[in-house]
């Protein structure tokens, strides 16, 4: 995926490093915020760091908390039952928060996002 024209290789690595850093930051924020999922951002960060900084990729993949989910996703595109339930509970909390804090038409956005995303999550294998 790298462009082999000198400075463009550096630009590609820089792009993936920046995207991985933003994704990692969003994953860390997602630990505390219910609407931001942590594991998908860590999976994206590991992917980006694989193309830009293998030390950071190895750190995420071997991390005690994030590593098992990232490895499971890489091996079989699987999401654990615990992860599925955690995301469903987080979506329910986000829907309740949206209904409480947002005006009528905007309060439908968390509901739509939760339905689409949780449908996709629950159709993933669990191995």
């Amino acid at each position: 995926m790298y462009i082999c024209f000198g400075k463009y290789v550096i630009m590609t690595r820089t792009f993936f490093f920046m995207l991985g850093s933003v994704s990692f930051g969003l994953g860390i924020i997602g630990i505390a915020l219910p609407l931001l999922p942590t594991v998908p951002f860590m999976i994206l960060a590991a992917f980006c760091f694989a193309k830009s900084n293998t030390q950071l990729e190895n750190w995420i993949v071997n991390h005690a908390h994030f590593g098992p989910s990232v490895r499971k996703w890489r091996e079989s595109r699987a999401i654990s039952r615990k992860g599925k339930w955690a995301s469903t509970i987080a979506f329910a909390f986000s829907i309740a928060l949206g209904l409480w804090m947002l005006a009528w038409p905007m309060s439908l956005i968390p509901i739509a996002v939760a339905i689409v995303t949780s449908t996709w999550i629950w159709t993933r294998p669990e191995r």
Side-chain angles (χ1 to χ4, degrees), residues 13 15-28 37-61 66 70 73-74:
R13 286 185 181 165
F15 170 75
F16 279 113
F17 181 78
M18 290 170 47
L19 184 59
S21 298
V22 168
S23 179
F24 180 79
L26 289 172
I28 295 299
T38 300
V39 173
F41 283 117
M42 291 302 170
I43 292 170
L44 178 59
F47 171 80
C48 292
F49 288 145
K51 296 185 176 295
S52 63
N53 188 326
T54 55
Q55 288 178 329
L56 289 174
E57 176 208 11
N58 289 333
W59 183 81
I60 291 174
V61 170
F66 310 127
V70 173
W73 179 256
R74 283 184 169 183

Side-chain angles (χ1 to χ4, degrees), residues 24-101:
F24 180 79
L26 289 172
I28 295 299
I29 293 169
I31 293 171
L33 294 178
L35 191 58
L36 286 175
T38 300
V39 173
F41 283 117
M42 291 302 170
I43 292 170
L44 178 59
F47 171 80
C48 292
F49 288 145
K51 296 185 176 295
S52 63
N53 188 326
T54 55
Q55 288 178 329
L56 289 174
E57 176 208 11
N58 289 333
W59 183 81
I60 291 174
V61 170
N62 296 315
H63 191 272
H65 182 70
F66 310 127
S69 297
V70 173
R71 287 190 303 272
K72 191 180 290 185
W73 179 256
R74 283 184 169 183
E75 292 166 5
S76 60
R77 300 290 192 249
I79 300 172
S80 69
R81 173 79 45 132
K82 181 180 172 184
K84 290 178 180 181
W85 277 110
S87 67
T88 302
I89 291 166
F91 282 134
F93 180 74
S94 298
I95 289 171
L97 196 62
L99 289 172
W100 177 55
M101 297 186 75

